[in-house]
mmCIF file of all heavy atoms in Angstrom:
data_model
loop_
_atom_site.group_PDB
_atom_site.id
_atom_site.type_symbol
_atom_site.label_atom_id
_atom_site.label_comp_id
_atom_site.label_asym_id
_atom_site.label_seq_id
_atom_site.Cartn_x
_atom_site.Cartn_y
_atom_site.Cartn_z
ATOM 1 N N MET A 1 12.237 -8.469 8.607
ATOM 2 C CA MET A 1 10.901 -8.880 8.204
ATOM 3 C C MET A 1 10.762 -8.713 6.699
ATOM 4 O O MET A 1 10.954 -7.642 6.179
ATOM 5 C CB MET A 1 9.841 -8.048 8.932
ATOM 6 C CG MET A 1 9.612 -8.546 10.342
ATOM 7 S SD MET A 1 8.547 -7.490 11.300
ATOM 8 C CE MET A 1 7.126 -7.371 10.239
ATOM 9 N N ASP A 2 10.429 -9.760 6.048
ATOM 10 C CA ASP A 2 10.361 -9.724 4.594
ATOM 11 C C ASP A 2 8.989 -10.142 4.097
ATOM 12 O O ASP A 2 8.812 -10.466 2.943
ATOM 13 C CB ASP A 2 11.442 -10.641 4.024
ATOM 14 C CG ASP A 2 11.793 -10.244 2.584
ATOM 15 O OD1 ASP A 2 11.460 -9.121 2.189
ATOM 16 O OD2 ASP A 2 12.378 -11.058 1.885
ATOM 17 N N ASP A 3 8.008 -10.129 4.992
ATOM 18 C CA ASP A 3 6.684 -10.613 4.612
ATOM 19 C C ASP A 3 5.710 -9.466 4.337
ATOM 20 O O ASP A 3 4.522 -9.621 4.438
ATOM 21 C CB ASP A 3 6.124 -11.521 5.709
ATOM 22 C CG ASP A 3 6.009 -10.790 7.034
ATOM 23 O OD1 ASP A 3 6.580 -9.692 7.138
ATOM 24 O OD2 ASP A 3 5.362 -11.319 7.938
ATOM 25 N N LEU A 4 6.272 -8.295 4.003
ATOM 26 C CA LEU A 4 5.423 -7.140 3.765
ATOM 27 C C LEU A 4 5.147 -6.937 2.283
ATOM 28 O O LEU A 4 4.416 -6.039 1.915
ATOM 29 C CB LEU A 4 6.076 -5.881 4.339
ATOM 30 C CG LEU A 4 6.304 -5.922 5.849
ATOM 31 C CD1 LEU A 4 7.123 -4.715 6.275
ATOM 32 C CD2 LEU A 4 4.972 -5.935 6.576
ATOM 33 N N ALA A 5 5.747 -7.757 1.439
ATOM 34 C CA ALA A 5 5.537 -7.601 0.008
ATOM 35 C C ALA A 5 4.092 -7.915 -0.334
ATOM 36 O O ALA A 5 3.471 -8.749 0.312
ATOM 37 C CB ALA A 5 6.473 -8.528 -0.750
ATOM 38 N N PRO A 6 3.579 -7.227 -1.322
ATOM 39 C CA PRO A 6 2.195 -7.510 -1.722
ATOM 40 C C PRO A 6 2.042 -8.964 -2.154
ATOM 41 O O PRO A 6 2.889 -9.510 -2.841
ATOM 42 C CB PRO A 6 1.969 -6.574 -2.911
ATOM 43 C CG PRO A 6 3.023 -5.541 -2.815
ATOM 44 C CD PRO A 6 4.175 -6.191 -2.126
ATOM 45 N N ASP A 7 0.958 -9.551 -1.736
ATOM 46 C CA ASP A 7 0.647 -10.914 -2.144
ATOM 47 C C ASP A 7 -0.284 -10.820 -3.346
ATOM 48 O O ASP A 7 -1.394 -10.303 -3.244
ATOM 49 C CB ASP A 7 -0.041 -11.644 -0.983
ATOM 50 C CG ASP A 7 -0.284 -13.113 -1.306
ATOM 51 O OD1 ASP A 7 -0.384 -13.443 -2.497
ATOM 52 O OD2 ASP A 7 -0.370 -13.903 -0.364
ATOM 53 N N SER A 8 0.164 -11.332 -4.468
ATOM 54 C CA SER A 8 -0.626 -11.191 -5.689
ATOM 55 C C SER A 8 -1.977 -11.884 -5.566
ATOM 56 O O SER A 8 -2.890 -11.599 -6.318
ATOM 57 C CB SER A 8 0.151 -11.751 -6.875
ATOM 58 O OG SER A 8 0.458 -13.108 -6.641
ATOM 59 N N GLY A 9 -2.098 -12.808 -4.608
ATOM 60 C CA GLY A 9 -3.365 -13.483 -4.419
ATOM 61 C C GLY A 9 -4.326 -12.688 -3.565
ATOM 62 O O GLY A 9 -5.485 -13.042 -3.454
ATOM 63 N N LEU A 10 -3.836 -11.639 -2.948
ATOM 64 C CA LEU A 10 -4.665 -10.830 -2.069
ATOM 65 C C LEU A 10 -4.547 -9.369 -2.451
ATOM 66 O O LEU A 10 -3.818 -8.614 -1.808
ATOM 67 C CB LEU A 10 -4.234 -10.998 -0.613
ATOM 68 C CG LEU A 10 -4.688 -12.257 0.115
ATOM 69 C CD1 LEU A 10 -4.010 -12.340 1.479
ATOM 70 C CD2 LEU A 10 -6.199 -12.263 0.296
ATOM 71 N N PRO A 11 -5.235 -8.934 -3.488
ATOM 72 C CA PRO A 11 -5.180 -7.518 -3.854
ATOM 73 C C PRO A 11 -5.696 -6.650 -2.713
ATOM 74 O O PRO A 11 -6.613 -7.041 -1.997
ATOM 75 C CB PRO A 11 -6.112 -7.416 -5.070
ATOM 76 C CG PRO A 11 -6.240 -8.809 -5.578
ATOM 77 C CD PRO A 11 -6.082 -9.706 -4.389
ATOM 78 N N GLY A 12 -5.077 -5.516 -2.551
ATOM 79 C CA GLY A 12 -5.512 -4.620 -1.501
ATOM 80 C C GLY A 12 -4.330 -3.861 -0.942
ATOM 81 O O GLY A 12 -3.201 -3.998 -1.404
ATOM 82 N N VAL A 13 -4.591 -3.078 0.067
ATOM 83 C CA VAL A 13 -3.543 -2.270 0.678
ATOM 84 C C VAL A 13 -3.179 -2.877 2.020
ATOM 85 O O VAL A 13 -4.028 -3.401 2.741
ATOM 86 C CB VAL A 13 -3.988 -0.795 0.807
ATOM 87 C CG1 VAL A 13 -5.147 -0.642 1.778
ATOM 88 C CG2 VAL A 13 -2.826 0.094 1.204
ATOM 89 N N HIS A 14 -1.889 -2.870 2.329
ATOM 90 C CA HIS A 14 -1.407 -3.463 3.571
ATOM 91 C C HIS A 14 -0.492 -2.451 4.268
ATOM 92 O O HIS A 14 0.450 -1.966 3.660
ATOM 93 C CB HIS A 14 -0.635 -4.750 3.289
ATOM 94 C CG HIS A 14 -1.450 -5.754 2.523
ATOM 95 N ND1 HIS A 14 -2.294 -6.648 3.147
ATOM 96 C CD2 HIS A 14 -1.574 -5.979 1.202
ATOM 97 C CE1 HIS A 14 -2.899 -7.383 2.218
ATOM 98 N NE2 HIS A 14 -2.483 -7.008 1.030
ATOM 99 N N ILE A 15 -0.786 -2.172 5.510
ATOM 100 C CA ILE A 15 -0.005 -1.208 6.281
ATOM 101 C C ILE A 15 0.563 -1.916 7.504
ATOM 102 O O ILE A 15 -0.136 -2.689 8.151
ATOM 103 C CB ILE A 15 -0.892 -0.035 6.756
ATOM 104 C CG1 ILE A 15 -1.657 0.591 5.592
ATOM 105 C CG2 ILE A 15 -0.054 1.012 7.476
ATOM 106 C CD1 ILE A 15 -0.799 1.216 4.540
ATOM 107 N N ALA A 16 1.838 -1.637 7.796
ATOM 108 C CA ALA A 16 2.444 -2.207 8.993
ATOM 109 C C ALA A 16 3.150 -1.094 9.756
ATOM 110 O O ALA A 16 3.842 -0.258 9.176
ATOM 111 C CB ALA A 16 3.440 -3.295 8.612
ATOM 112 N N LYS A 17 2.922 -1.088 11.045
ATOM 113 C CA LYS A 17 3.582 -0.094 11.916
ATOM 114 C C LYS A 17 4.119 -0.882 13.114
ATOM 115 O O LYS A 17 3.415 -1.066 14.115
ATOM 116 C CB LYS A 17 2.553 0.959 12.346
ATOM 117 C CG LYS A 17 3.088 1.995 13.298
ATOM 118 C CD LYS A 17 3.802 3.115 12.595
ATOM 119 C CE LYS A 17 4.107 4.234 13.598
ATOM 120 N NZ LYS A 17 5.096 5.182 13.073
ATOM 121 N N PRO A 18 5.350 -1.398 12.994
ATOM 122 C CA PRO A 18 5.875 -2.319 14.017
ATOM 123 C C PRO A 18 5.990 -1.685 15.395
ATOM 124 O O PRO A 18 5.768 -2.350 16.405
ATOM 125 C CB PRO A 18 7.257 -2.693 13.481
ATOM 126 C CG PRO A 18 7.233 -2.339 12.021
ATOM 127 C CD PRO A 18 6.287 -1.194 11.888
ATOM 128 N N ALA A 19 6.338 -0.406 15.433
ATOM 129 C CA ALA A 19 6.512 0.251 16.721
ATOM 130 C C ALA A 19 6.366 1.749 16.525
ATOM 131 O O ALA A 19 6.506 2.258 15.417
ATOM 132 C CB ALA A 19 7.869 -0.077 17.318
ATOM 133 N N ARG A 20 6.095 2.451 17.606
ATOM 134 C CA ARG A 20 5.838 3.878 17.501
ATOM 135 C C ARG A 20 7.041 4.625 16.925
ATOM 136 O O ARG A 20 6.896 5.579 16.167
ATOM 137 C CB ARG A 20 5.497 4.449 18.882
ATOM 138 C CG ARG A 20 4.908 5.846 18.800
ATOM 139 C CD ARG A 20 4.770 6.469 20.164
ATOM 140 N NE ARG A 20 4.142 5.568 21.136
ATOM 141 C CZ ARG A 20 3.905 5.904 22.395
ATOM 142 N NH1 ARG A 20 4.232 7.089 22.836
ATOM 143 N NH2 ARG A 20 3.362 5.039 23.209
ATOM 144 N N ASP A 21 8.240 4.197 17.299
ATOM 145 C CA ASP A 21 9.443 4.889 16.841
ATOM 146 C C ASP A 21 9.960 4.346 15.514
ATOM 147 O O ASP A 21 11.018 4.741 15.060
ATOM 148 C CB ASP A 21 10.551 4.762 17.892
ATOM 149 C CG ASP A 21 10.165 5.480 19.171
ATOM 150 O OD1 ASP A 21 9.310 6.386 19.104
ATOM 151 O OD2 ASP A 21 10.723 5.141 20.224
ATOM 152 N N PHE A 22 9.200 3.431 14.948
ATOM 153 C CA PHE A 22 9.635 2.799 13.714
ATOM 154 C C PHE A 22 8.772 3.326 12.581
ATOM 155 O O PHE A 22 7.568 3.477 12.751
ATOM 156 C CB PHE A 22 9.464 1.281 13.862
ATOM 157 C CG PHE A 22 10.414 0.476 13.028
ATOM 158 C CD1 PHE A 22 11.744 0.353 13.417
ATOM 159 C CD2 PHE A 22 9.983 -0.160 11.873
ATOM 160 C CE1 PHE A 22 12.620 -0.395 12.659
ATOM 161 C CE2 PHE A 22 10.858 -0.894 11.111
ATOM 162 C CZ PHE A 22 12.180 -1.014 11.500
ATOM 163 N N PRO A 23 9.383 3.647 11.444
ATOM 164 C CA PRO A 23 8.554 4.158 10.340
ATOM 165 C C PRO A 23 7.584 3.096 9.826
ATOM 166 O O PRO A 23 7.926 1.915 9.751
ATOM 167 C CB PRO A 23 9.572 4.537 9.273
ATOM 168 C CG PRO A 23 10.802 3.750 9.586
ATOM 169 C CD PRO A 23 10.805 3.583 11.085
ATOM 170 N N ALA A 24 6.394 3.548 9.497
ATOM 171 C CA ALA A 24 5.401 2.632 8.944
ATOM 172 C C ALA A 24 5.828 2.193 7.553
ATOM 173 O O ALA A 24 6.539 2.911 6.846
ATOM 174 C CB ALA A 24 4.040 3.316 8.875
ATOM 175 N N THR A 25 5.405 0.994 7.196
ATOM 176 C CA THR A 25 5.599 0.529 5.831
ATOM 177 C C THR A 25 4.232 0.210 5.253
ATOM 178 O O THR A 25 3.335 -0.242 5.970
ATOM 179 C CB THR A 25 6.487 -0.723 5.771
ATOM 180 O OG1 THR A 25 5.889 -1.758 6.542
ATOM 181 C CG2 THR A 25 7.872 -0.440 6.321
ATOM 182 N N GLY A 26 4.092 0.460 3.983
ATOM 183 C CA GLY A 26 2.819 0.187 3.337
ATOM 184 C C GLY A 26 3.030 -0.331 1.936
ATOM 185 O O GLY A 26 4.051 -0.064 1.301
ATOM 186 N N SER A 27 2.082 -1.089 1.482
ATOM 187 C CA SER A 27 2.141 -1.599 0.116
ATOM 188 C C SER A 27 0.724 -1.824 -0.377
ATOM 189 O O SER A 27 -0.201 -1.987 0.415
ATOM 190 C CB SER A 27 2.937 -2.900 0.059
ATOM 191 O OG SER A 27 2.284 -3.911 0.798
ATOM 192 N N TYR A 28 0.583 -1.781 -1.666
ATOM 193 C CA TYR A 28 -0.688 -2.209 -2.218
ATOM 194 C C TYR A 28 -0.438 -2.996 -3.488
ATOM 195 O O TYR A 28 0.577 -2.841 -4.148
ATOM 196 C CB TYR A 28 -1.664 -1.045 -2.453
ATOM 197 C CG TYR A 28 -1.380 -0.116 -3.607
ATOM 198 C CD1 TYR A 28 -1.608 -0.516 -4.922
ATOM 199 C CD2 TYR A 28 -0.942 1.177 -3.379
ATOM 200 C CE1 TYR A 28 -1.382 0.350 -5.975
ATOM 201 C CE2 TYR A 28 -0.704 2.049 -4.421
ATOM 202 C CZ TYR A 28 -0.933 1.638 -5.735
ATOM 203 O OH TYR A 28 -0.705 2.500 -6.767
ATOM 204 N N ALA A 29 -1.362 -3.860 -3.773
ATOM 205 C CA ALA A 29 -1.305 -4.653 -4.990
ATOM 206 C C ALA A 29 -2.713 -4.718 -5.551
ATOM 207 O O ALA A 29 -3.671 -4.929 -4.808
ATOM 208 C CB ALA A 29 -0.801 -6.061 -4.698
ATOM 209 N N CYS A 30 -2.817 -4.517 -6.834
ATOM 210 C CA CYS A 30 -4.122 -4.540 -7.477
ATOM 211 C C CYS A 30 -4.182 -5.730 -8.421
ATOM 212 O O CYS A 30 -3.158 -6.183 -8.936
ATOM 213 C CB CYS A 30 -4.341 -3.232 -8.239
ATOM 214 S SG CYS A 30 -5.982 -3.109 -8.972
ATOM 215 N N CYS A 31 -5.386 -6.194 -8.656
ATOM 216 C CA CYS A 31 -5.545 -7.339 -9.559
ATOM 217 C C CYS A 31 -5.109 -6.993 -10.976
ATOM 218 O O CYS A 31 -4.885 -7.887 -11.788
ATOM 219 C CB CYS A 31 -6.984 -7.832 -9.543
ATOM 220 S SG CYS A 31 -8.198 -6.565 -9.897
ATOM 221 N N CYS A 32 -4.949 -5.714 -11.298
ATOM 222 C CA CYS A 32 -4.512 -5.328 -12.638
ATOM 223 C C CYS A 32 -3.000 -5.432 -12.774
ATOM 224 O O CYS A 32 -2.450 -5.265 -13.853
ATOM 225 C CB CYS A 32 -4.955 -3.901 -12.963
ATOM 226 S SG CYS A 32 -4.050 -2.614 -12.088
ATOM 227 N N GLY A 33 -2.300 -5.696 -11.661
ATOM 228 C CA GLY A 33 -0.853 -5.843 -11.722
ATOM 229 C C GLY A 33 -0.100 -4.663 -11.139
ATOM 230 O O GLY A 33 1.113 -4.737 -10.950
ATOM 231 N N THR A 34 -0.800 -3.581 -10.854
ATOM 232 C CA THR A 34 -0.155 -2.428 -10.238
ATOM 233 C C THR A 34 0.192 -2.749 -8.791
ATOM 234 O O THR A 34 -0.643 -3.260 -8.053
ATOM 235 C CB THR A 34 -1.090 -1.208 -10.287
ATOM 236 O OG1 THR A 34 -1.393 -0.926 -11.641
ATOM 237 C CG2 THR A 34 -0.437 0.003 -9.646
ATOM 238 N N ALA A 35 1.432 -2.482 -8.409
ATOM 239 C CA ALA A 35 1.841 -2.728 -7.034
ATOM 240 C C ALA A 35 2.878 -1.698 -6.650
ATOM 241 O O ALA A 35 3.743 -1.336 -7.452
ATOM 242 C CB ALA A 35 2.410 -4.133 -6.884
ATOM 243 N N ARG A 36 2.783 -1.198 -5.423
ATOM 244 C CA ARG A 36 3.744 -0.214 -4.931
ATOM 245 C C ARG A 36 4.032 -0.499 -3.466
ATOM 246 O O ARG A 36 3.221 -1.049 -2.750
ATOM 247 C CB ARG A 36 3.205 1.214 -5.091
ATOM 248 C CG ARG A 36 3.190 1.684 -6.521
ATOM 249 C CD ARG A 36 2.552 3.044 -6.632
ATOM 250 N NE ARG A 36 3.320 4.067 -5.963
ATOM 251 C CZ ARG A 36 4.277 4.775 -6.570
ATOM 252 N NH1 ARG A 36 4.548 4.575 -7.829
ATOM 253 N NH2 ARG A 36 4.942 5.701 -5.916
ATOM 254 N N GLN A 37 5.234 -0.093 -3.055
ATOM 255 C CA GLN A 37 5.612 -0.205 -1.647
ATOM 256 C C GLN A 37 6.273 1.100 -1.243
ATOM 257 O O GLN A 37 6.896 1.779 -2.070
ATOM 258 C CB GLN A 37 6.633 -1.321 -1.456
ATOM 259 C CG GLN A 37 6.033 -2.712 -1.461
ATOM 260 C CD GLN A 37 7.096 -3.747 -1.189
ATOM 261 O OE1 GLN A 37 7.719 -4.242 -2.107
ATOM 262 N NE2 GLN A 37 7.325 -4.055 0.070
ATOM 263 N N THR A 38 6.148 1.447 0.030
ATOM 264 C CA THR A 38 6.816 2.636 0.517
ATOM 265 C C THR A 38 7.074 2.503 2.007
ATOM 266 O O THR A 38 6.509 1.641 2.678
ATOM 267 C CB THR A 38 5.981 3.894 0.199
ATOM 268 O OG1 THR A 38 6.784 5.041 0.393
ATOM 269 C CG2 THR A 38 4.747 3.978 1.083
ATOM 270 N N THR A 39 7.926 3.357 2.502
ATOM 271 C CA THR A 39 8.264 3.367 3.927
ATOM 272 C C THR A 39 8.209 4.801 4.436
ATOM 273 O O THR A 39 8.600 5.729 3.733
ATOM 274 C CB THR A 39 9.686 2.800 4.135
ATOM 275 O OG1 THR A 39 9.751 1.494 3.579
ATOM 276 C CG2 THR A 39 10.032 2.740 5.614
ATOM 277 N N GLY A 40 7.728 4.974 5.637
ATOM 278 C CA GLY A 40 7.631 6.294 6.238
ATOM 279 C C GLY A 40 6.176 6.694 6.387
ATOM 280 O O GLY A 40 5.377 6.486 5.474
ATOM 281 N N ASP A 41 5.842 7.249 7.534
ATOM 282 C CA ASP A 41 4.437 7.541 7.827
ATOM 283 C C ASP A 41 3.797 8.415 6.756
ATOM 284 O O ASP A 41 2.689 8.145 6.296
ATOM 285 C CB ASP A 41 4.331 8.232 9.187
ATOM 286 C CG ASP A 41 4.671 7.283 10.329
ATOM 287 O OD1 ASP A 41 5.248 6.217 10.055
ATOM 288 O OD2 ASP A 41 4.353 7.621 11.476
ATOM 289 N N ASP A 42 4.495 9.490 6.354
ATOM 290 C CA ASP A 42 3.909 10.391 5.363
ATOM 291 C C ASP A 42 3.757 9.698 4.020
ATOM 292 O O ASP A 42 2.751 9.863 3.331
ATOM 293 C CB ASP A 42 4.776 11.645 5.214
ATOM 294 C CG ASP A 42 4.701 12.539 6.440
ATOM 295 O OD1 ASP A 42 3.781 12.351 7.257
ATOM 296 O OD2 ASP A 42 5.564 13.424 6.574
ATOM 297 N N ASN A 43 4.772 8.910 3.656
ATOM 298 C CA ASN A 43 4.715 8.205 2.375
ATOM 299 C C ASN A 43 3.595 7.185 2.362
ATOM 300 O O ASN A 43 2.927 6.986 1.351
ATOM 301 C CB ASN A 43 6.057 7.521 2.093
ATOM 302 C CG ASN A 43 7.152 8.522 1.810
ATOM 303 O OD1 ASN A 43 6.895 9.636 1.380
ATOM 304 N ND2 ASN A 43 8.394 8.132 2.053
ATOM 305 N N VAL A 44 3.398 6.523 3.504
ATOM 306 C CA VAL A 44 2.324 5.532 3.592
ATOM 307 C C VAL A 44 0.970 6.216 3.449
ATOM 308 O O VAL A 44 0.075 5.710 2.776
ATOM 309 C CB VAL A 44 2.408 4.742 4.915
ATOM 310 C CG1 VAL A 44 1.152 3.919 5.153
ATOM 311 C CG2 VAL A 44 3.639 3.828 4.895
ATOM 312 N N ARG A 45 0.853 7.379 4.050
ATOM 313 C CA ARG A 45 -0.413 8.111 3.935
ATOM 314 C C ARG A 45 -0.678 8.448 2.462
ATOM 315 O O ARG A 45 -1.802 8.327 1.968
ATOM 316 C CB ARG A 45 -0.341 9.399 4.773
ATOM 317 C CG ARG A 45 -1.693 9.970 5.131
ATOM 318 C CD ARG A 45 -1.563 11.078 6.172
ATOM 319 N NE ARG A 45 -0.963 10.591 7.396
ATOM 320 C CZ ARG A 45 0.068 11.186 8.020
ATOM 321 N NH1 ARG A 45 0.585 12.281 7.535
ATOM 322 N NH2 ARG A 45 0.553 10.674 9.121
ATOM 323 N N ASP A 46 0.383 8.872 1.765
ATOM 324 C CA ASP A 46 0.238 9.167 0.342
ATOM 325 C C ASP A 46 -0.109 7.905 -0.441
ATOM 326 O O ASP A 46 -0.898 7.945 -1.381
ATOM 327 C CB ASP A 46 1.542 9.768 -0.204
ATOM 328 C CG ASP A 46 1.759 11.188 0.271
ATOM 329 O OD1 ASP A 46 0.809 11.786 0.808
ATOM 330 O OD2 ASP A 46 2.876 11.693 0.098
ATOM 331 N N LEU A 47 0.511 6.793 -0.055
ATOM 332 C CA LEU A 47 0.265 5.537 -0.768
ATOM 333 C C LEU A 47 -1.195 5.119 -0.620
ATOM 334 O O LEU A 47 -1.819 4.654 -1.577
ATOM 335 C CB LEU A 47 1.197 4.449 -0.233
ATOM 336 C CG LEU A 47 1.072 3.069 -0.890
ATOM 337 C CD1 LEU A 47 2.438 2.450 -1.115
ATOM 338 C CD2 LEU A 47 0.213 2.139 -0.048
ATOM 339 N N VAL A 48 -1.743 5.280 0.571
ATOM 340 C CA VAL A 48 -3.143 4.912 0.783
ATOM 341 C C VAL A 48 -4.045 5.786 -0.077
ATOM 342 O O VAL A 48 -4.989 5.296 -0.714
ATOM 343 C CB VAL A 48 -3.520 5.036 2.275
ATOM 344 C CG1 VAL A 48 -5.024 4.847 2.468
ATOM 345 C CG2 VAL A 48 -2.754 3.999 3.096
ATOM 346 N N ALA A 49 -3.738 7.086 -0.145
ATOM 347 C CA ALA A 49 -4.524 7.980 -0.991
ATOM 348 C C ALA A 49 -4.397 7.574 -2.452
ATOM 349 O O ALA A 49 -5.370 7.617 -3.210
ATOM 350 C CB ALA A 49 -4.056 9.416 -0.793
ATOM 351 N N GLU A 50 -3.192 7.159 -2.814
ATOM 352 C CA GLU A 50 -2.960 6.738 -4.199
ATOM 353 C C GLU A 50 -3.765 5.476 -4.507
ATOM 354 O O GLU A 50 -4.327 5.327 -5.591
ATOM 355 C CB GLU A 50 -1.458 6.480 -4.363
ATOM 356 C CG GLU A 50 -1.007 6.309 -5.793
ATOM 357 C CD GLU A 50 0.489 6.072 -5.844
ATOM 358 O OE1 GLU A 50 1.236 6.877 -5.280
ATOM 359 O OE2 GLU A 50 0.904 5.067 -6.442
ATOM 360 N N TRP A 51 -3.808 4.565 -3.534
ATOM 361 C CA TRP A 51 -4.565 3.326 -3.714
ATOM 362 C C TRP A 51 -6.054 3.619 -3.910
ATOM 363 O O TRP A 51 -6.707 3.075 -4.786
ATOM 364 C CB TRP A 51 -4.342 2.424 -2.504
ATOM 365 C CG TRP A 51 -5.341 1.314 -2.363
ATOM 366 C CD1 TRP A 51 -6.282 1.190 -1.378
ATOM 367 C CD2 TRP A 51 -5.496 0.170 -3.207
ATOM 368 N NE1 TRP A 51 -7.000 0.041 -1.574
ATOM 369 C CE2 TRP A 51 -6.546 -0.602 -2.688
ATOM 370 C CE3 TRP A 51 -4.852 -0.255 -4.357
ATOM 371 C CZ2 TRP A 51 -6.965 -1.791 -3.278
ATOM 372 C CZ3 TRP A 51 -5.273 -1.447 -4.952
ATOM 373 C CH2 TRP A 51 -6.312 -2.197 -4.405
ATOM 374 N N ILE A 52 -6.580 4.503 -3.075
ATOM 375 C CA ILE A 52 -7.986 4.863 -3.196
ATOM 376 C C ILE A 52 -8.248 5.480 -4.561
ATOM 377 O O ILE A 52 -9.236 5.163 -5.227
ATOM 378 C CB ILE A 52 -8.385 5.822 -2.053
ATOM 379 C CG1 ILE A 52 -8.343 5.069 -0.717
ATOM 380 C CG2 ILE A 52 -9.773 6.404 -2.288
ATOM 381 C CD1 ILE A 52 -8.423 5.972 0.498
ATOM 382 N N ASP A 53 -7.323 6.334 -4.983
ATOM 383 C CA ASP A 53 -7.461 6.966 -6.291
ATOM 384 C C ASP A 53 -7.379 5.914 -7.396
ATOM 385 O O ASP A 53 -8.116 5.954 -8.373
ATOM 386 C CB ASP A 53 -6.375 8.029 -6.463
ATOM 387 C CG ASP A 53 -6.605 8.850 -7.715
ATOM 388 O OD1 ASP A 53 -7.695 9.430 -7.841
ATOM 389 O OD2 ASP A 53 -5.691 8.908 -8.564
ATOM 390 N N HIS A 54 -6.465 4.962 -7.224
ATOM 391 C CA HIS A 54 -6.290 3.924 -8.241
ATOM 392 C C HIS A 54 -7.564 3.096 -8.395
ATOM 393 O O HIS A 54 -7.938 2.727 -9.506
ATOM 394 C CB HIS A 54 -5.111 3.017 -7.884
ATOM 395 C CG HIS A 54 -4.937 1.887 -8.866
ATOM 396 N ND1 HIS A 54 -4.312 2.049 -10.077
ATOM 397 C CD2 HIS A 54 -5.347 0.602 -8.826
ATOM 398 C CE1 HIS A 54 -4.343 0.899 -10.739
ATOM 399 N NE2 HIS A 54 -4.961 0.001 -10.000
ATOM 400 N N ARG A 55 -8.195 2.804 -7.283
ATOM 401 C CA ARG A 55 -9.409 2.000 -7.365
ATOM 402 C C ARG A 55 -10.482 2.702 -8.181
ATOM 403 O O ARG A 55 -11.354 2.059 -8.757
ATOM 404 C CB ARG A 55 -9.942 1.683 -5.962
ATOM 405 C CG ARG A 55 -9.113 0.622 -5.255
ATOM 406 C CD ARG A 55 -9.865 0.027 -4.096
ATOM 407 N NE ARG A 55 -10.294 1.070 -3.167
ATOM 408 C CZ ARG A 55 -10.981 0.830 -2.069
ATOM 409 N NH1 ARG A 55 -11.308 -0.407 -1.749
ATOM 410 N NH2 ARG A 55 -11.339 1.810 -1.277
ATOM 411 N N ASN A 56 -10.436 4.040 -8.205
ATOM 412 C CA ASN A 56 -11.410 4.795 -8.979
ATOM 413 C C ASN A 56 -11.026 4.891 -10.444
ATOM 414 O O ASN A 56 -11.862 5.220 -11.279
ATOM 415 C CB ASN A 56 -11.550 6.216 -8.391
ATOM 416 C CG ASN A 56 -12.191 6.194 -7.019
ATOM 417 O OD1 ASN A 56 -13.035 5.354 -6.735
ATOM 418 N ND2 ASN A 56 -11.795 7.127 -6.165
ATOM 419 N N THR A 57 -9.760 4.651 -10.746
ATOM 420 C CA THR A 57 -9.299 4.852 -12.119
ATOM 421 C C THR A 57 -8.784 3.565 -12.741
ATOM 422 O O THR A 57 -8.393 3.557 -13.900
ATOM 423 C CB THR A 57 -8.174 5.900 -12.147
ATOM 424 O OG1 THR A 57 -7.094 5.454 -11.329
ATOM 425 C CG2 THR A 57 -8.652 7.245 -11.632
ATOM 426 N N CYS A 58 -8.764 2.459 -11.968
ATOM 427 C CA CYS A 58 -8.200 1.207 -12.464
ATOM 428 C C CYS A 58 -8.938 0.728 -13.714
ATOM 429 O O CYS A 58 -10.163 0.657 -13.716
ATOM 430 C CB CYS A 58 -8.282 0.147 -11.375
ATOM 431 S SG CYS A 58 -7.572 -1.426 -11.905
ATOM 432 N N PRO A 59 -8.171 0.373 -14.750
ATOM 433 C CA PRO A 59 -8.816 -0.104 -15.979
ATOM 434 C C PRO A 59 -9.467 -1.469 -15.815
ATOM 435 O O PRO A 59 -10.232 -1.896 -16.677
ATOM 436 C CB PRO A 59 -7.662 -0.154 -16.985
ATOM 437 C CG PRO A 59 -6.436 -0.309 -16.154
ATOM 438 C CD PRO A 59 -6.714 0.433 -14.866
ATOM 439 N N HIS A 60 -9.166 -2.159 -14.694
ATOM 440 C CA HIS A 60 -9.699 -3.509 -14.510
ATOM 441 C C HIS A 60 -10.941 -3.544 -13.634
ATOM 442 O O HIS A 60 -11.338 -4.595 -13.172
ATOM 443 C CB HIS A 60 -8.623 -4.418 -13.895
ATOM 444 C CG HIS A 60 -7.693 -4.970 -14.917
ATOM 445 N ND1 HIS A 60 -7.512 -6.308 -15.125
ATOM 446 C CD2 HIS A 60 -6.888 -4.339 -15.805
ATOM 447 C CE1 HIS A 60 -6.630 -6.485 -16.095
ATOM 448 N NE2 HIS A 60 -6.236 -5.302 -16.515
ATOM 449 N N ARG A 61 -11.522 -2.403 -13.379
ATOM 450 C CA ARG A 61 -12.724 -2.417 -12.564
ATOM 451 C C ARG A 61 -13.862 -3.095 -13.294
ATOM 452 O O ARG A 61 -14.043 -2.882 -14.492
ATOM 453 C CB ARG A 61 -13.151 -0.982 -12.220
ATOM 454 C CG ARG A 61 -12.244 -0.359 -11.188
ATOM 455 C CD ARG A 61 -12.811 0.978 -10.768
ATOM 456 N NE ARG A 61 -14.001 0.810 -9.953
ATOM 457 C CZ ARG A 61 -15.042 1.649 -9.977
ATOM 458 N NH1 ARG A 61 -15.071 2.658 -10.799
ATOM 459 N NH2 ARG A 61 -16.075 1.439 -9.184
HETATM 460 ZN ZN1 ZN B 101 -5.673 -1.729 -10.741
#
């Protein structure tokens, strides 16, 4: 599956959890150009927290 990359036309956070035994993948893309991807449930949780934090500190707000 290669469709998990952030879509620059759709800023936001995207989480995918294909199966219970499969690690979650997450990504976010911001209209300011910041984009990150990660794999693993704990990492995804951190990424979501980072995204929320970024929205509060983004220079493009
Ligand atoms: Zn931003």
